[in-house]
Amino acid sequence: MLERPVRDVAPEYATHKARAGYTVRHREYLCPVTGLRIETEILRDGDEPLHDIALAPTKES
């Protein structure tokens, strides 16, 4: 997983600390073998993941 502020991903979203968008983050889920992007999401600092990403079946599956 790669997570960084949206303002670092796309300069057009740059803002300053006093603005609400300053805490918005871009999270990417990457394949551990190939490094290819599997999924992305945009969320606020401290938010839990929105998606449950599983690359292999779990014992419960």
Side-chain angles (χ1 to χ4, degrees):
M1 180 178 68
L2 174 63
E3 185 176 315
R4 54 195 164 161
V6 170
R7 63 187 176 275
D8 290 353
V9 175
E12 61 269 25
Y13 295 115
T15 186
H16 52 83
K17 289 183 181 181
R19 302 286 310 257
Y22 193 79
T23 63
V24 176
R25 304 193 63 79
H26 180 258
R27 184 178 289 162
E28 296 176 87
Y29 295 94
L30 308 171
C31 173
V33 176
T34 65
L36 292 175
R37 185 180 318 126
I38 298 169
E39 182 70 75
T40 65
E41 60 188 10
I42 295 176
L43 59 160
R44 296 175 301 192
D45 270 343
D47 281 352
E48 292 295 319
L50 300 175
H51 300 287
D52 183 13
I53 303 296
L55 299 177
T58 61
K59 292 180 181 180
E60 294 84 31
S61 298

